[in-house]
Amino acid sequence: MKRIMALFGVAVLIAGCGGGSGGAGNRLSIATGGTTGVYYVYGGGLAKQLSANIANTQATASVTSASIENIKLLATGKADIGFSQSDTAADAVNGTGSFTEKQGIKALARIYDNYAHVVVAPGVAAGKVADLKGRTVSLGPPNSGTQVVARRMLEAAGLNPDSDISKQQLSINESVQAVKDGTIDAFFWVGGLPTAGVVDLATTRPDMKMLDTSDVLAKMQAEHGEQYVGLDIDMSVYKLTGTIKTVGIANVLLVPDTMNEQLAYDITRTLFEKKAELAAVHPEANKLDLRLAQQVAPVALHLGAVRYFKEEG
């Protein structure tokens, strides 16, 4: 862990955030997620590229509970860049769901898609989400996008997340360890492919399984919108066999709506110009696409990002 922390320069910056002038002594805090999730790795790679390619800029990536917490950090000036699922970002700009009022955020780009993982411990008889009734299940950590999706998936399967399961609220690291220890039956995780924590579990417990969740997709779309899509997980990314159908959610890179236009432009430019370097850190960066990146509704693109995309045609 110390080696990873050193590699990505991870630190939590509560003060000194850089929403001011682009390239003029910026200290940028990037809110990511748990240490074995894609946000953390991607954010560390992005921090390195921003520090190297925007003049007088030092960027660091911080460990968080992910989407909900990241947006709250952005809105309160405690972070400058944040990763989020698009469903959570939609709640934030509308002041619904986990947010009691509209949050002051803008998007730089849609970056890649998250995949809902419903991981079941070895020996647990469950073939679909509804079969988790009565089981001990982690929904993800508080203030995470995973928890938003987990609750919606359970509700779409006809289960009450607060009464039909024995609910746990564990990070991806804690969930993986709990399966190894036999203290939970299943856990939800929403992230890119591959997620290091799931790789670890599949390596040490190859008899684990993941549920096909395609049966809850239509109801989730009806209740919450077309931001939920059907995606397939090729289990070879976890060195397992077969393909699992599941629910997908886009990821967006967010900033405060008060960020200086030039700084937002510089961050967006670096994101795309250094795609190859970011992909060397995590393969999900290969999904960066100029046309797809602009599809961030209902969040508005920051004017700095708009300028970059116009220049690129």
Side-chain angles (χ1 to χ4, degrees):
M1 181 59 66
K2 289 181 179 179
R3 182 180 179 183
I4 294 174
M5 299 281 274
L7 177 62
F8 293 128
V10 175
V12 178
L13 295 183
I14 300 303
C17 294
S21 58
N26 295 303
R27 294 177 60 84
L28 302 178
S29 174
I30 306 174
T32 64
T35 57
T36 57
V38 177
Y39 283 178
Y40 175 84
V41 180
Y42 202 136
L46 180 60
K48 181 177 179 181
Q49 294 306 319
L50 295 178
S51 297
N53 293 284
I54 301 178
N56 303 314
T57 294
Q58 179 183 357
T60 56
S62 61
V63 177
T64 70
S65 294
S67 297
I68 298 173
E69 182 181 0
N70 291 352
I71 290 172
K72 290 179 177 178
L73 289 170
L74 292 173
T76 56
K78 295 178 181 177
D80 303 285
I81 305 168
F83 289 76
S84 176
Q85 293 171 188
S86 63
D87 55 348
T88 307
D91 286 348
V93 296
N94 290 318
T96 58
S98 302
F99 303 93
T100 57
E101 59 184 4
K102 295 180 180 181
Q103 305 294 297
I105 55 170
K106 292 288 176 69
L108 297 184
R110 174 175 171 172
I111 49 177
Y112 68 94
D113 289 334
N114 266 354
Y115 296 71
H117 299 56
V118 185
V119 178
V120 178
V124 174
K128 56 185 180 179
V129 176
D131 295 336
L132 297 178
K133 185 173 183 178
R135 298 289 188 176
T136 301
V137 183
S138 172
L139 305 187
N143 292 319
S144 67
T146 291
Q147 191 156 132
V148 172
V149 175
R151 294 183 68 88
R152 290 176 177 178
M153 292 181 81
L154 288 166
E155 289 165 353
L159 300 182
N160 184 323
D162 298 311
S163 60
D164 286 334
I165 61 170
S166 177
K167 180 180 65 178
Q168 301 290 310
Q169 299 185 88
L170 307 177
S171 69
I172 177 63
N173 309 31
E174 293 166 335
S175 294
V176 167
Q177 190 59 50
V179 168
K180 291 180 181 180
D181 295 340
T183 56
I184 62 172
D185 298 310
F187 67 85
F188 285 82
W189 166 251
V190 183
L193 301 178
T195 290
V198 181
V199 172
D200 173 39
L201 183 61
T203 301
T204 57
R205 299 288 192 277
D207 51 343
M208 60 150 265
K209 62 182 177 181
M210 286 174 50
L211 300 186
D212 182 315
T213 68
S214 57
D215 62 316
V216 302
L217 176 60
K219 190 163 185 181
M220 291 180 71
Q221 290 174 328
E223 292 286 331
H224 305 290
E226 297 296 320
Q227 58 200 321
Y228 295 114
V229 299
L231 294 176
D232 293 345
I233 299 178
D234 180 345
M235 295 299 285
S236 66
V237 299
Y238 294 120
K239 296 182 172 57
L240 301 174
T241 59
T243 300
I244 296 294
K245 293 186 178 299
T246 194
V247 174
I249 314 97
N251 287 302
V252 287
L253 198 64
L254 304 174
V255 295
D257 59 8
T258 56
M259 177 174 276
N260 172 274
E261 182 180 327
Q262 183 61 43
L263 179 57
Y265 172 90
D266 288 340
I267 294 168
T268 309
R269 173 183 53 79
T270 303
L271 177 70
F272 284 91
E273 288 185 354
K274 299 301 175 180
K275 174 179 174 177
E277 289 82 353
L278 292 171
V281 174
H282 197 285
E284 286 291 12
N286 282 314
K287 306 285 179 62
L288 284 168
D289 177 85
L290 285 168
R291 186 182 301 273
L292 187 64
Q294 299 172 64
Q295 299 176 16
V296 296
V299 184
L301 279 171
H302 193 287
L303 289 177
V306 171
R307 174 154 63 96
Y308 175 77
F309 293 130
K310 283 183 177 178
E311 287 181 3
E312 295 300 313

